[in-house]
Amino acid sequence: MTFPTHTVEKIGGTSMSRVGELLDTLFIGDREGEALYHRAFVVSAFAGITNKLLEHKKSGTPGVYALFANDDDDHGWLDALTEVGTAMREAHGDILEHPGDRSMADEFVRERIEGARSCLFDLQRLCSYGHFRLSDHMLVIRELLSGLGEAHSAFVTTLLLQRAGVNARFIDLSGWRDETEHTLSERIAQGLGDVDLATEMPIITGYAQCTEGLMREFDRGYSEVTFARIAAYTGAAEAIIHKEFHLSSADPKLVGEEAVRKLGHTNYDVADQLSNLGMEAIHPKAAKTLRQAEVPLRVTNAFEPGDPGTLIDDQPAKEANVEIVTGLKVVALELFEQDMVGVKGYDAAILEALKRHNVWIVSKTSNANTITHYVHASLKVVRRVARDLEEQFTSATVSARTLSLVSPIGRDLSGLKVLSRGLSALEEAGIEVIAAHQTPRGVDVQFVLSSADLEPGITALHRALIEATVAQVPKRAA
């Protein structure tokens, strides 16, 4: 099936909680008639809802899923599910003004929450028999719970738009009470099969139930994967992610609003480097889908609709340039073995241990008898990996310590002497460099610093590699 020229656009949870503001800017603004359409929106749950359904993304505070998984106290997950329902009603109560719309949204929440409650009760009862194990079903439960948040926000947004005169259509890909099985492609085709993008505005759930099991591979990055697959399936002219900030040369809270530069244009190579350092413009698997489908990505500030934001495509830079400086806290896992020289197997064993403990590898260096992995994980988890390796290599010395990794990134860093200039900038700022690494590809340079020097390191490198460079560019004559 073919679709008219259109865009597929995604709105994150923080922005969704301000969806009332977006009504007058992003969704409608000065558009009318046909100009309202040719756009499909993929939405995340309202801010905080998925944390309550699963677990808090940053603090780890257990939500319904985590409490149900532990099963120490039935009332724990029951109370948490009731709390989710209350939070959902409060969220749409602040958005929907018409009593009829609020009543419909309340009923939607009641039906979904009670359905989930019954499902969990039935599963508990089933698993009280010895032939069934709760652990076998937990991934399905995680998916079911997660889908509640996106279905709620999409339904509420549809009501809001319809009340404002927009022909919006709720597209629920969550598979709620659907007894058939579909791949992700089939689920998307089923949901969008009869949508007329020229006269309808589809509001689509960021979660899609499918045989692949999105959370198995992507966990909470699933909404961007769904978004990318929809853009690829429909042949979108652009895929657009609306955030509550611009994609900038550094965190403005760190280096100052006046010092940062909006990227404006970059490529998927840079986006992948940002993802590796925890600053996701888009999930790398979603980026791969868009890149292969030749769909450019645009990242905009949802609350500045007149600004084109930053375009991400597969084009190389016209000139060498440091585009962004970012970084994150890492743990250095170091294995030293005097007899490592010329012996194979150490690398594979370390990677297997890291995979077993689900540890994200950010970077790696090695020499004749030492292999160091810089990983993004808690020190507690990395120490478990270290214990496994000590048992396997009894004569090796394995250590773990918290550091930070700061990286200037750009589509093309050739000829800029980023490594030497970065070292000079850090030295001038009184920051000790523990390690530094540059690959021949020329898209990033990595500086390993103490944990305390993460923010000062970003500030010093941004000042030297971006602010100073911009200041040196002569102004064009008027």
Side-chain angles (χ1 to χ4, degrees):
M1 135 169 230
T2 58
F3 295 87
T5 301
H6 68 283
T7 57
V8 174
E9 312 187 21
K10 179 184 178 298
I11 308 175
T14 305
S15 299
M16 282 299 299
S17 293
R18 298 168 62 184
V19 71
E21 297 175 48
L22 297 179
L23 187 68
D24 298 324
T25 54
L26 180 63
F27 286 114
I28 299 178
D30 57 1
R31 301 177 184 87
E32 57 183 32
E34 188 179 346
L36 286 166
Y37 304 105
H38 297 274
R39 296 179 297 158
F41 288 90
V42 178
V43 299
S44 297
F46 293 121
I49 297 297
T50 305
N51 285 340
K52 291 180 180 296
L53 284 164
L54 304 180
E55 67 282 317
H56 196 285
K57 194 172 185 179
K58 293 182 178 178
S59 70
T61 302
V64 178
Y65 171 82
L67 291 166
F68 185 78
N70 292 331
D71 197 27
D72 294 329
D73 179 6
D74 283 351
H75 294 294
W77 70 264
L78 279 170
D79 291 345
L81 191 58
T82 299
E83 185 182 332
V84 170
T86 301
M88 285 180 168
R89 284 187 288 273
E90 288 176 352
H92 68 239
D94 292 337
I95 294 166
L96 301 173
E97 296 180 357
H98 194 280
D101 293 340
R102 285 200 296 268
S103 178
M104 290 176 66
D106 286 346
E107 176 57 26
F108 183 89
V109 169
R110 188 203 65 77
E111 191 263 341
R112 295 289 171 119
I113 293 293
E114 291 308 312
R117 194 190 311 274
S118 298
C119 177
L120 296 184
F121 264 135
D122 290 344
L123 185 59
Q124 266 190 336
R125 194 159 43 244
L126 179 68
C127 293
S128 66
Y129 296 90
H131 293 80
F132 302 93
R133 295 286 179 270
L134 188 61
S135 57
D136 295 339
H137 305 278
M138 287 313 298
L139 188 59
V140 175
I141 291 300
R142 189 170 177 84
E143 298 224 1
L144 178 141
L145 289 170
S146 187
L148 297 178
E150 271 83 6
H152 171 242
S153 64
F155 183 77
V156 170
T157 303
T158 302
L159 290 177
L160 181 70
L161 288 164
Q162 289 174 345
R163 182 63 56 184
V166 178
N167 187 23
R169 179 169 170 182
F170 172 48
I171 305 293
D172 187 1
L173 302 183
S174 71
W176 184 255
R177 298 191 183 281
D178 185 351
E179 297 180 1
T180 61
E181 290 192 347
H182 298 282
T183 64
L184 179 56
S185 296
E186 291 168 346
R187 179 72 67 189
I188 292 170
Q190 180 193 51
L192 298 175
D194 62 346
V195 171
D196 181 5
L197 288 173
T199 60
E200 293 180 293
M201 181 188 291
I203 308 299
I204 311 166
T205 57
Y207 167 74
Q209 192 277 331
C210 57
T211 53
E212 296 97 316
L214 290 183
M215 298 201 80
R216 182 183 296 111
E217 185 172 357
F218 309 112
D219 199 52
R220 290 174 65 166
Y222 58 79
S223 63
E224 291 187 352
V225 174
T226 303
F227 154 76
R229 290 288 290 272
I230 291 172
Y233 170 76
T234 60
E238 278 188 358
I240 305 174
I241 295 182
H242 300 287
K243 295 181 178 287
E244 59 276 9
F245 51 81
H246 281 298
L247 196 55
S248 303
S249 58
D251 183 348
K253 295 177 183 176
L254 209 58
V255 304
E257 293 277 356
E258 71 290 343
V260 297
R261 307 286 182 269
K262 185 184 72 176
L263 294 195
H265 190 192
T266 191
N267 65 13
Y268 283 115
D269 205 346
V270 169
D272 286 344
Q273 302 307 320
L274 294 177
S275 296
N276 190 46
L277 290 168
M279 185 183 170
E280 284 192 0
I282 185 172
H283 192 286
K285 290 295 179 68
K288 179 181 179 181
T289 296
L290 294 175
R291 190 166 61 242
Q292 291 179 339
E294 298 183 348
V295 176
L297 171 69
R298 190 177 296 276
V299 180
T300 74
N301 185 325
F303 303 97
E304 293 184 20
D307 193 302
T310 295
L311 181 67
I312 301 175
D313 55 24
D314 61 356
Q315 298 302 308
K318 293 181 179 179
E319 58 183 22
N321 193 25
V322 176
E323 298 176 26
I324 188 167
V325 179
T326 187
L328 80 168
K329 296 285 181 70
V330 295
V331 178
L333 175 68
E334 185 173 275
L335 185 146
F336 168 78
E337 168 63 87
Q338 192 68 57
D339 299 326
M340 186 188 298
V341 183
V343 178
K344 296 179 181 178
Y346 287 91
D347 256 333
I350 296 171
L351 290 174
E352 179 58 37
L354 290 168
K355 181 180 178 181
R356 188 163 57 249
H357 290 275
N358 196 30
V359 174
W360 177 269
I361 301 170
V362 178
S363 188
K364 171 196 165 185
T365 59
S366 63
N367 61 19
N369 50 25
T370 307
I371 300 175
T372 304
H373 284 85
Y374 299 99
V375 301
H376 186 45
S378 70
L379 190 57
K380 182 179 179 181
V381 170
V382 179
R383 281 174 174 158
R384 290 178 191 155
V385 177
R387 283 196 295 271
D388 286 1
L389 293 173
E390 285 171 342
E391 291 175 3
Q392 187 169 358
F393 303 106
T394 54
S395 61
T397 301
V398 186
S399 62
R401 61 169 170 160
T402 303
L403 297 169
S404 64
L405 192 150
V406 178
S407 180
I409 302 169
R411 285 169 286 176
D412 180 8
L413 302 183
S414 61
L416 297 179
K417 300 181 180 179
V418 174
L419 180 59
S420 58
R421 288 168 61 202
L423 289 170
S424 297
L426 293 168
E427 184 178 1
E428 288 176 14
I431 297 172
E432 180 186 359
V433 177
I434 297 168
H437 185 62
Q438 180 174 4
T439 63
R441 184 165 173 76
V443 294
D444 71 322
V445 177
Q446 298 174 350
F447 298 95
V448 180
L449 315 174
S450 72
S451 178
D453 284 331
L454 173 62
E455 294 186 356
I458 291 174
T459 302
L461 290 171
H462 188 273
R463 187 180 300 120
L465 301 174
I466 294 180
E467 295 171 53
T469 302
V470 172
Q472 291 168 6
V473 175
K475 293 183 179 179
R476 293 182 180 178

